[in-house]
């Protein structure tokens, strides 16, 4: 995406608290920071840091499991516009930092939750990874070459697109709603549902072979056609 004007930063006045996590949460925070938001990443003492999406963010080290750390985190949320929660359902509630608690002190807060399977249902508290969410959405079965096992799309489809990108879009919609009503929102982003939603076109075009609809690796866009594949050039 190209920003035509360097003065175009629509989220300049927005303050974001990003609880440190992996992939989708940091990517959501990175998107918001890229569009001008002030993002504070809350890191946990002793946690392994493999996040490479911290550009443009500030960082604070807090042990939110301790009363003093939880009090500081609550204060940050009370003066912020967006909270990015990357934990499984119930984690922040046990710290007294769930949506209902924070809404009382900051009714304008956009409480953004990124989970694998959503907040309710039989899988809501089950751990998972990108490959699990993509598989359960049905999308993984469509990826790969003919007569081979499905090929995982790194962790781009569920973690980054279905999780981080969809969460950032949800934040944008919630901020638009708040600008009209003054009300905050809970944005519930399920990576399983996000991956499935991103793949809507694949499901809906299955009645149009050879564009899509044949078996894996037999369609125009999945290596089933000579004009949509990769080849070694004559110079290697």
């Amino acid at each position: 995406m190209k920003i035509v004007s360097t003065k175009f930063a629509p989220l300049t006045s927005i303050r974001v608290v990003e609880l440190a996590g992996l992939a989708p949460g940091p990517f959501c925070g990175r998107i918001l920071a890229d569009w001008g938001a002030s993002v504070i990443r809350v890191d946990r003492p002793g946690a392994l840091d493999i996040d490479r999406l911290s550009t443009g963010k500030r960082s604070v080290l807090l042990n939110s499991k301790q009363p003093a750390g939880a009090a500081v985190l609550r204060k940050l949320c009370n003066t912020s516009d967006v909270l990015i929660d990357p934990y499984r359902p119930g984690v922040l509630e046990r710290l007294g930092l769930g949506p209902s608690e924070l809404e009382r002190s900051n009714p304008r807060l956009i409480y953004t939750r990124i989970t694998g399977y959503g907040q309710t249902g039989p899988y809501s508290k089950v751990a998972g990874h990108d490959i699990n969410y993509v598989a359960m959405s049905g999308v993984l079965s469509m990826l790969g070459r003919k007569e081979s096992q499905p090929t995982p799309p790194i962790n781009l489809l569920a973690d980054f697109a279905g999780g981080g990108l969809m969460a950032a879009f949800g934040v944008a919609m919630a901020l638009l709603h708040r600008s009209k009503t003054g009300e905050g929102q809970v944005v519930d982003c399920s990576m399983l549902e996000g991956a499935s939603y991103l793949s809507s076109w694949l499901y809906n075009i299955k009645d149009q072979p050879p564009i899509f609809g044949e078996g894996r690796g037999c369609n125009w866009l999945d290596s089933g056609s000579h004009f949509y594949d990769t080849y070694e050039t004559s110079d290697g």
Side-chain angles (χ1 to χ4, degrees):
M1 181 179 296
K2 181 180 180 182
I3 300 175
V4 177
S5 171
T6 56
K7 296 181 180 180
F8 182 59
L11 301 182
T12 297
S13 62
I14 300 300
R15 298 184 63 180
V16 179
V17 175
E18 174 197 315
L19 302 183
L22 296 175
F27 187 50
C28 178
R30 172 65 181 272
I31 294 170
L32 300 178
D34 285 344
W35 290 100
S38 174
V39 180
I40 297 178
R41 190 182 74 176
V42 178
D43 290 298
R44 294 169 294 170
L48 179 64
D49 180 16
I50 59 173
D51 177 22
R52 296 298 180 268
L53 296 169
S54 57
T55 301
K57 304 175 186 178
R58 291 177 292 169
S59 176
V60 61
L61 193 66
L62 284 180
N63 185 352
S64 56
K65 294 183 179 180
Q66 298 296 324
V72 173
L73 181 54
R74 177 184 291 275
K75 186 175 181 180
L76 284 172
C77 293
N78 286 345
T79 57
S80 296
D81 300 284
V82 179
L83 170 66
I84 301 174
D85 168 18
Y87 302 133
R88 274 184 270 175
V91 171
L92 289 186
E93 281 84 350
R94 289 194 291 272
L95 299 174
L97 298 168
S100 58
E101 291 88 358
L102 294 182
E103 183 185 41
R104 286 195 291 269
S105 52
N106 184 3
R108 291 174 57 82
L109 182 67
I110 309 299
Y111 199 114
T112 311
R113 319 197 79 168
I114 306 174
T115 61
Y117 304 104
Q119 299 297 314
T120 60
Y123 289 96
S124 61
K125 291 181 171 58
V126 175
H129 299 278
D130 181 285
I131 192 171
N132 304 118
Y133 313 138
V134 176
M136 292 186 69
S137 73
V139 183
L140 184 59
S141 66
M142 306 179 193
L143 307 177
R145 292 186 177 273
K146 183 180 179 181
E147 298 178 355
S148 71
Q149 70 270 32
T151 302
I154 316 181
N155 64 327
L156 292 174
L157 189 51
D159 277 354
F160 290 106
L165 183 61
M166 292 301 295
F169 182 74
V171 168
M173 295 299 99
L175 288 171
L176 178 61
H177 174 80
R178 193 184 73 174
S179 71
K180 298 177 180 179
T181 66
E183 300 174 348
Q185 295 284 327
V186 175
V187 176
D188 182 10
C189 182
S190 157
M191 287 180 273
L192 168 60
E193 293 178 0
S196 181
Y197 183 62
L198 284 164
S199 305
S200 300
W201 181 81
L202 295 180
Y203 296 118
N204 290 316
I205 199 66
K206 279 192 169 184
D207 63 342
Q208 293 293 326
I211 299 174
F212 213 78
E214 301 290 354
R216 182 172 58 248
C218 298
N219 305 281
W220 279 2
L221 303 180
D222 64 357
S223 77
S225 175
H226 69 278
F227 56 74
Y228 215 87
D229 205 349
T230 57
Y231 304 93
E232 183 178 358
T233 60
S234 59
D235 61 359

